[in-house]
Amino acid sequence: MSEKKLTFKDYAKALGPGAIMSAAIIGPGTVTTASTQGASYGYTALWILLLACVIAYFFQEPATRISIGCKESVMVGVREHINPGVAKFLWVVLFVGSIAFQAGNLSGASMALTYFFPGTTYLLWAVIMSVLALVIVLLNRYKIIENVNQVLIILMVLAFVLTACTSGPNIGDMFVEGFSFKIPGGNAILAVSLLATTVTPNLVLGYSGFLRKKYPDSKQPRTDIKLAKADLGLNMVVTFLITGAIIVCAGTLLHPQGIQISSAADMAMQLTPLLGRYAGIFFSLGLWAAAISSVLYQISIHNMLFPPAFKLDENPKAKHNMIVTCLVVLVPIILIVIFGSSPVQLIIAAQALNGIALPMVCIISWILCNKKSLLGEFVNNTRQNVVMGIVTLCTLVFAVNALYSVAQKLIAMF
């Protein structure tokens, strides 16, 4: 039976899971990293960002074949075909990461909103944003999460790209400098940090869960895999466009003047006197969209990943799923009340666990994709094995960088 010829409408209907992943990647941490890279080194990090988005695509691609071709989530594959203990460990890593980094996501959303509403507190907005995200998740409608994230992605494109265009970059300099393949400032560790903020352990596992929601019982897996890959590829291009726009804006306006920044909020404040209040408004709006999309992602993934890791009832309204979801909402707010953000020790622990888990997830995906008994016709070919081998080596470099960063922080503490 010949494959159906795909139309533009088919590709448009397939959009969704890729947008959720793009929105998850572009959080306050990515906005801050891109802003500081542009302010410190101009356009030179653009080629690194492009490489990061290519790696992120191939890091997530195996999930399309496992989730649609085999009709199983990657987490189920880990539990059933690798080891149940490994599945549990990976969920613990994701849970600790959600708790540690969710406070940062909430702080990012709050920074943006206090720009619009001076005099309000971070805690107020953290509570409002958490409740909003929790309500969306508890509605248990995949389509709502998909649509919300697509709107947030469009908002980020408009906010950051418009700000970058308004900054008046020199197109020739942008391409010559941005794709000179030089390490920004000769600082390899800082360069790797931009790669690492784009490729995290939860991408494959989270993406797989959303694919299962989008394609619960695919009747044409080969066609649906093709559509899912197109969606993922398009949204990694969008990820590059949004994050690249932030680098370009900072590189055009702040770098020539030697202005240094330490946060995304600093970036918005610096833009106001240079381009006028509208620039600050656009950038803050983009920061809010980046933050709230990451908040929503961190809350929504656990009722898809916790049950298969522990072989429990996967009904989102099951008691254990409700408890885990509420913990991801409440604990970060408690941390903000006590510390103003996540405690340093928790962030260090999360970074260390991520450093260990990142190459582990990649190797596990590689193993699963070579099990013919599991994937059948969708098993890895030689080209896919070569690509996954390269991606695995890259994730090992990211892991070493993360563990080195953790070691530096521990040394500084003592």
Side-chain angles (χ1 to χ4, degrees), residues 87-399:
K88 292 172 184 176
F89 170 76
L90 289 176
W91 179 80
V92 169
V93 170
L94 300 189
F95 181 73
V96 173
S98 291
I99 297 299
F101 302 126
Q102 191 74 316
N105 292 333
L106 290 169
S107 294
S110 301
M111 284 177 192
L113 289 169
T114 52
Y115 184 92
F116 297 111
F117 304 99
T120 54
T121 65
Y122 281 10
L123 181 59
L124 170 67
W125 291 118
V127 172
I128 292 173
M129 291 299 99
S130 294
V131 171
L132 175 63
L134 180 61
V135 168
I136 292 172
V137 171
L138 292 182
L139 287 173
N140 193 30
R141 295 287 186 274
Y142 164 75
K143 197 66 182 174
I144 294 175
I145 295 176
E146 182 182 277
N147 290 340
V148 167
N149 276 282
Q150 287 177 324
V151 169
L152 291 172
I153 281 291
I154 292 170
L155 185 58
M156 280 188 266
V157 170
L158 291 174
F160 293 130
V161 173
L162 277 175
T163 307
C165 291
T166 308
S167 69
N170 183 300
I171 304 299
D173 288 348
M174 191 170 71
F175 279 95
V176 171
E177 186 181 328
F179 297 93
S180 61
F181 302 104
K182 293 178 182 176
I183 301 296
N187 190 336
I189 293 174
L190 196 61
V192 172
S193 72
L194 182 60
L195 289 161
T197 194
T198 310
V199 185
T200 57
N202 63 19
L203 289 185
V204 172
L205 298 164
Y207 181 46
S208 174
F210 288 114
L211 284 172
R212 293 295 303 130
K213 297 277 188 182
K214 180 81 171 181
Y215 304 98
D217 187 27
S218 175
K219 298 295 189 294
Q220 297 178 304
R222 186 172 287 279
T223 298
D224 288 339
I225 288 171
K226 185 176 181 179
L227 290 169
K229 288 182 180 181
D231 171 42
L232 180 62
L234 172 63
N235 280 283
M236 289 306 101
V237 171
V238 171
T239 301
F240 172 76
L241 182 65
I242 293 171
T243 314
I246 299 169
I247 292 174
V248 167
C249 187
T252 302
L253 295 173
L254 307 186
H255 178 62
Q257 299 185 54
I259 298 173
Q260 295 297 307
I261 59 173
S262 58
S263 71
D266 284 351
M267 178 78 171
M269 299 291 276
Q270 290 291 346
L271 290 178
T272 301
L274 293 169
L275 293 178
R277 180 158 175 76
Y278 284 111
I281 289 172
F282 278 134
F283 196 88
S284 295
L285 197 59
L287 173 59
W288 174 80
I292 192 62
S293 63
S294 295
V295 169
L296 180 59
Y297 175 77
Q298 294 294 349
I299 294 173
S300 61
I301 60 173
H302 288 284
N303 61 24
M304 297 186 295
L305 301 182
F306 178 67
F310 290 83
K311 206 172 184 179
L312 298 171
D313 181 2
E314 296 193 22
N315 184 346
K317 294 184 179 179
K319 187 176 180 181
H320 53 269
N321 288 328
M322 294 292 287
I323 290 171
V324 170
T325 299
C326 288
L327 283 174
V328 177
V329 172
L330 293 174
V331 176
I333 293 175
I334 293 170
L335 292 176
I336 289 175
V337 170
I338 298 173
F339 301 100
S341 62
S342 294
V344 173
Q345 293 89 341
L346 182 58
I347 292 175
I348 290 173
Q351 287 175 330
L353 287 171
N354 276 355
I356 295 167
L358 181 59
M360 182 184 292
V361 169
C362 198
I363 291 168
I364 285 169
S365 297
W366 197 0
I367 292 171
L368 291 177
C369 285
N370 278 287
K371 285 184 176 287
K372 193 167 180 59
S373 59
L374 174 66
L375 274 111
E377 65 176 303
F378 304 110
V379 72
N380 265 12
N381 56 34
T382 302
R383 180 187 60 79
Q384 287 167 326
N385 275 323
V386 170
V387 170
M388 290 192 74
I390 293 170
V391 171
T392 300
L393 287 174
C394 290
T395 59
L396 284 168
V397 173
F398 302 165

